[in-house]
Amino acid sequence: MAEILSMMKTQEVSAIRGYHAHLYYDGVSKHHAWKLRREIEGRFEDAVVGRWHDKEMGPHPVSFYQVAFSPELFAEFVPWLALNRKDLNILIHPNTGDGYLDHSAHAMWVGPSLDLNLDSMRKRYEERLRNEAAGEAVAAE
Ligand code: ZN
């Protein structure tokens, strides 16, 4: 991974189409997650609040729900989450079209970070890099 990251070019912010906030909760913090969800729906009408996932799913190691929001909302929404998260762990990730990097190198956390289950995303990412490298080698011949 370090080798891949060292080869990455500088990216422009315009690559970000939108963001997700993943709000993680457990049996104790679910009540607060529920209250925060109602407030988000009331205050941030342009944000899209996803359904409850009461178990781990994909790279997400514990229960969560997702909020999709535009780059225009970032400056207001993310600080608001920081002030009101209480004991929730919140992953903020951009959507650039590269799911693995968006959930790893591009990830931002509000509160302490959790270890995401990135193995299958990483494998697909590395396979894609290999295929691209093979394609470039063929094109260069
Ligand atoms: Zn997401």
Side-chain angles (χ1 to χ4, degrees), residues 20 22 60 66 93 103:
H20 287 169
H22 292 273
H60 309 291
Q66 168 191 299
H93 71 77
H103 286 81

Side-chain angles (χ1 to χ4, degrees), residues 1 4 15 23 26 31 39 42 47 52 60 70 86-87 93 100 114 138-141:
M1 184 68 191
I4 292 169
L23 290 83
D26 60 18
H31 180 68
E39 276 210 62
W52 295 93
H60 309 291
S70 67
K86 295 187 180 170
D87 53 353
H93 71 77
Y100 173 62
L114 302 178
V138 170
E141 281 172 5

